[in-house]
Amino acid sequence: MIEKNELLHLICSKDACLGILGYSHEQLSTLFGAEFARQKGYDQKNPHHCYDLLHHTVYCLVSVLEQMHPNERDRELLLVAALFHDLGKPQAMRDKRNRFVFYNHEKISAELSLNLLKEIGFCPEEVNKICFYIRYHGVFMPYKFHYELKPKTNALPIDLKNAQALYRDLASNYPGNFTLQAFHLLSVLAICDCAAQSKEVYIGDRLVDTKDNKIERIKAIQSLLNDQ
């Protein structure tokens, strides 16, 4: 298994991150564990995704690397979270009308990452923070702009009341003092996750979403909390 310092050195270089795509299954398993190695060549078969799982993970990781300032607090922890954020997708996968869905994969990914991160050498505080970001990186998905809301859906409107409720819910599950910085980090991971997805999402012939819309929703929630 890769050691902590070696891992942090690896994921702080764009070229090294992209180099992960060329690793064999055996190399991935040796460095990051067998569950991680399952991502190589894993077809997600989902309209939200245009890459196999390993490419999606690496592109998300590179996006985090590019978005965060080198001196930003907890940057390294968020990069580790990006590397393992979809670790549980193969276990969570269900076939739904000839496409894959991954309900609850965030929770499974966090659970799988827990012992893995300890083995790599992260301390309990670091492990808990990383697993928090993994566990909640999909928390923005139910939120929609008002003009997007449709009858008989479970979507939540993007407004200050719901943004504050989301913040409180996240704060109650954060391992420590939850701040706007911690919310910012989670938002960055969610945005970078979206950035590594399909540009347009079609169900049959119907356009149901776009990558840009997903990102703008997250930024809108961020803005509401920053401005209060």
Side-chain angles (χ1 to χ4, degrees):
M1 187 69 65
I2 194 170
E3 294 183 354
K4 176 183 174 181
N5 289 338
E6 184 183 358
L7 175 62
L8 294 179
H9 178 75
L10 172 69
I11 61 178
C12 284
S13 162
K14 179 178 178 180
D15 288 342
C17 290
L18 291 172
I20 294 172
L21 297 172
Y23 292 4
S24 67
H25 280 89
E26 183 179 1
Q27 288 173 311
L28 293 171
S29 183
T30 299
L31 290 172
F32 311 118
E35 287 295 334
F36 188 93
R38 293 180 67 183
Q39 296 182 84
K40 187 175 180 68
Y42 187 94
D43 186 349
Q44 300 193 77
K45 294 183 182 178
N46 183 286
H48 290 270
H49 291 281
C50 53
Y51 305 114
D52 69 52
L53 187 51
L54 183 61
H55 278 77
H56 165 74
T57 293
V58 170
Y59 293 156
C60 174
L61 174 61
V62 169
S63 184
V64 171
L65 187 63
E66 293 176 337
Q67 286 219 21
M68 297 195 70
H69 190 276
N71 295 323
E72 191 163 356
R73 181 161 50 91
D74 284 345
R75 173 179 181 260
E76 290 180 338
L77 300 186
L78 196 69
L79 287 168
V80 177
L83 182 65
F84 297 119
H85 80 283
D86 276 350
L87 194 63
K89 269 192 169 180
Q91 283 197 22
M93 187 276 291
R94 297 292 181 270
D95 195 321
K96 181 179 180 180
R97 293 191 282 274
N98 296 318
R99 62 185 175 93
F100 289 174
V101 292
F102 304 96
Y103 300 138
N104 216 30
H105 76 274
E106 300 94 341
K107 180 175 183 291
I108 297 172
S109 297
E111 290 171 348
L112 290 173
S113 297
L114 185 64
N115 289 329
L116 178 63
L117 293 167
K118 291 178 181 177
E119 187 176 352
I120 290 172
F122 289 93
C123 72
E125 181 182 358
E126 292 170 329
V127 169
N128 289 336
K129 283 185 176 181
I130 294 167
C131 287
F132 171 86
Y133 295 125
I134 295 172
R135 173 67 180 85
Y136 293 101
H137 75 268
V139 75
F140 298 95
M141 290 178 62
Y143 296 86
K144 305 286 185 184
F145 291 114
H146 282 81
Y147 67 83
E148 297 176 302
L149 295 174
K150 297 178 181 179
K152 298 181 180 180
T153 69
N154 294 321
L156 297 170
I158 296 174
D159 55 31
L160 181 57
K161 179 181 177 181
N162 281 328
Q164 291 173 330
L166 173 61
Y167 187 92
R168 289 194 299 270
D169 183 59
L170 290 169
S172 68
N173 289 285
Y174 187 71
N177 181 34
F178 193 68
T179 62
L180 279 175
Q181 169 67 9
F183 187 85
H184 162 70
L185 291 172
L186 180 63
S187 301
V188 168
L189 180 57
I191 286 170
C192 293
D193 182 32
C194 293
Q197 297 179 14
S198 301
K199 183 176 181 180
E200 297 179 327
V201 183
Y202 285 89
I203 302 295
D205 295 328
R206 183 169 60 96
L207 178 66
V208 298
D209 212 345
T210 70
K211 173 166 57 179
D212 289 343
N213 280 349
K214 295 176 187 178
I215 292 172
E216 287 307 310
R217 291 179 200 124
I218 299 168
K219 289 182 176 180
I221 295 172
Q222 275 186 303
S223 180
L224 285 168
L225 291 172
N226 289 335
D227 293 343
Q228 65 175 316

